């Protein structure tokens, strides 16, 4: 896809509809800075905004993806072209053979997990009897619209919040049995985190940010430097280790966050909308990094996302709606383009009122 062409098209249609950037942003519930990034070709709108954006600009989805009006006589040809360009430019080709190991042990197990928020007047069930397992070396995505419960579920797994009932086990350890002090140690030993906003310390260099994670885990001082250098080379950030986070790009900062998450050899890496603040090129690099960590280094990654393109990199997708899973999809030996198409189909069926998909 030509982001600059699409951006110019969005800008032109916005102006033709008499909207300022601020007015369009307000109608979409986002910042005018995001609109500016679209229109200058620095980023693309989130998939969740496509429908509303098209309605406001009085264009079709295919016209948005192509960045031009489509005459009726060219509708089918151009529609197919739009879909092809989305998949080809965003998904690319596989760079490794997919592995399958049915015997891999479960790193994460949830059994009938519920989360209820109580106030004096109301009781809200955010997560409803959720059960699933994630095998070691898997790259699993949880998809759902805002308010579906996916972030709440991630917080429960991350030990940031506590479930009302049910069981959560990580590497065979029930986190409900741990005290607050033990939970802090458990997070340090077993969990790695990649956030949307990087969470790197600006006063430390990239090297120091990564080394800090090892120091907190009490890794022997003489081993820290070599571990950092080895992983920096694997994720191709060796040349920026002595720079500060504000001196590098968003994509580089996220790869630094990935190195920081993986160097401690965690049981599970948790990623919360990790591509949300990235342009499409940086997002692809980050997702390819997650897939590579899973395929080549047996890392286990659980990612929350609302984006179909991001989800297509995963091995397995859990579709969440109203606090529970409505569908589960295994990728198997499909390539990203085939999986992308099936995810779109599943989401369309769910949106159309079909609660479960076989």
């Amino acid at each position: 896809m030509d982001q600059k062409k699409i951006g110019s098209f969005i800008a032109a249609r916005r102006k033709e509809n008499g909207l300022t950037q601020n007015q369009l942003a307000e109608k979409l519930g986002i910042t005018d800075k995001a609109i500016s990034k679209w229109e200058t070709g620095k980023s693309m709108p989130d998939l969740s905004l496509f429908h509303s954006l098209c309605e406001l600009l009085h264009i079709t989805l295919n016209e948005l993806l192509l960045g031009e009006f489509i005459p009726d006589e060219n509708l089918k040809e151009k529609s197919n072209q739009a879909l092809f360009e989305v998949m080809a430019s965003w998904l690319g080709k596989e760079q490794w053979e997919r592995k399958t190991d049915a015997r891999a042990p479960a790193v994460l197990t949830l059994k009938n997990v519920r989360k209820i928020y109580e106030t004096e007047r109301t009781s809200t069930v955010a997560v409803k009897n959720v059960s699933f397992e994630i095998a070691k070396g898997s790259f699993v995505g949880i998809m759902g619209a805002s308010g579906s419960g996916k972030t709440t579920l991630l917080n429960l797994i991350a030990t940031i919040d506590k479930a009302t009932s049910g069981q959560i086990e990580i590497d065979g350890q029930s986190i409900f049995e741990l005290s607050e002090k033990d939970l802090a140690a458990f997070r340090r030993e077993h969990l790695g985190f990649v956030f949307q906003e990087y969470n790197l310390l600006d006063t430390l260099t990239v090297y120091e940010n990564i080394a800090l994670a090892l120091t907190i885990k009490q890794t022997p001082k003489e081993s820290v430097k070599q571990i950092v250098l080895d992983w920096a080379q694997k994720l191709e950030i060796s040349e920026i280790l002595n720079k500060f986070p504000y001196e590098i790009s968003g994509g580089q900062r996220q790869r630094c966050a990935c190195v920081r998450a993986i160097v401690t050899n965690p049981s599970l890496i948790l990623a919360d909308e990790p591509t949300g603040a990235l342009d499409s090129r940086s997002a692809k690099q980050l997702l390819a990094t997650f897939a590579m960590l899973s395929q080549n280094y047996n890392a286990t990654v659980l990612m929350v996302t609302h984006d179909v393109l991001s989800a297509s990199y995963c091995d397995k997708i859990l579709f969440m709606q109203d606090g529970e899973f409505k569908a589960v999809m295994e990728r198997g030996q499909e390539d990203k383009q085939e999986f992308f198409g099936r995810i779109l189909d599943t989401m369309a069926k769910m949106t159309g009122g079909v609660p479960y998909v076989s």
Side-chain angles (χ1 to χ4, degrees), residues 154 192-195 269-274 290 301-305:
L154 191 73
F193 298 91
V194 180
F195 303 95
I269 297 174
L270 301 172
D272 187 9
E273 299 283 4
F290 283 143
V301 182
L302 177 62
M303 177 178 70
V304 162
T305 184

Side-chain angles (χ1 to χ4, degrees), residues 172-202:
Q173 171 69 62
S174 171
I175 62 175
F176 289 133
E177 299 171 357
L178 302 176
S179 65
E180 288 300 320
K181 181 180 178 180
D182 289 338
L183 278 176
F186 184 84
R187 280 192 292 269
R188 186 169 62 244
E189 293 292 324
H190 293 274
L191 300 178
F193 298 91
V194 180
F195 303 95
Q196 182 174 333
E197 296 299 333
Y198 323 120
N199 284 18
L200 298 173
L201 299 175
D202 279 337

Side-chain angles (χ1 to χ4, degrees), residues 170-231:
I170 299 174
D171 259 358
Q173 171 69 62
S174 171
I175 62 175
F176 289 133
E177 299 171 357
L178 302 176
S179 65
E180 288 300 320
K181 181 180 178 180
D182 289 338
L183 278 176
F186 184 84
R187 280 192 292 269
R188 186 169 62 244
E189 293 292 324
H190 293 274
L191 300 178
F193 298 91
V194 180
F195 303 95
Q196 182 174 333
E197 296 299 333
Y198 323 120
N199 284 18
L200 298 173
L201 299 175
D202 279 337
T203 55
L204 300 180
T205 64
V206 168
Y207 174 89
E208 291 166 340
N209 266 281
I210 298 168
L212 181 61
L214 291 165
T215 302
I216 291 173
K217 195 177 178 182
Q218 299 182 335
T219 301
K221 186 177 179 180
E222 60 273 13
S223 302
V224 170
K225 182 176 181 180
Q226 194 57 52
I227 293 173
V228 174
L229 293 179
D230 286 347
W231 277 106

Side-chain angles (χ1 to χ4, degrees), residues 273-293:
E273 299 283 4
T275 63
L278 301 180
D279 58 48
S280 61
R281 180 175 177 274
S282 297
K284 283 189 288 185
Q285 289 177 336
L286 177 65
L287 294 164
T289 296
F290 283 143
M292 180 272 291
L293 290 173

Side-chain angles (χ1 to χ4, degrees), residues 285-340:
Q285 289 177 336
L286 177 65
L287 294 164
T289 296
F290 283 143
M292 180 272 291
L293 290 173
S294 167
Q295 291 291 316
N296 295 353
Y297 299 101
N298 218 26
T300 309
V301 182
L302 177 62
M303 177 178 70
V304 162
T305 184
H306 64 266
D307 179 43
V308 179
L309 295 168
S310 297
S312 65
Y313 280 76
C314 296
D315 305 323
K316 180 178 182 178
I317 302 295
L318 306 170
F319 296 89
M320 200 165 192
Q321 190 176 67
D322 300 327
E324 57 188 336
F325 291 134
K326 299 293 187 178
V328 179
M329 180 180 294
E330 299 273 0
R331 180 174 169 185
Q333 293 301 309
E334 291 175 305
D335 62 25
K336 289 194 294 290
Q337 293 190 19
E338 292 170 327
F339 198 40
F340 172 85

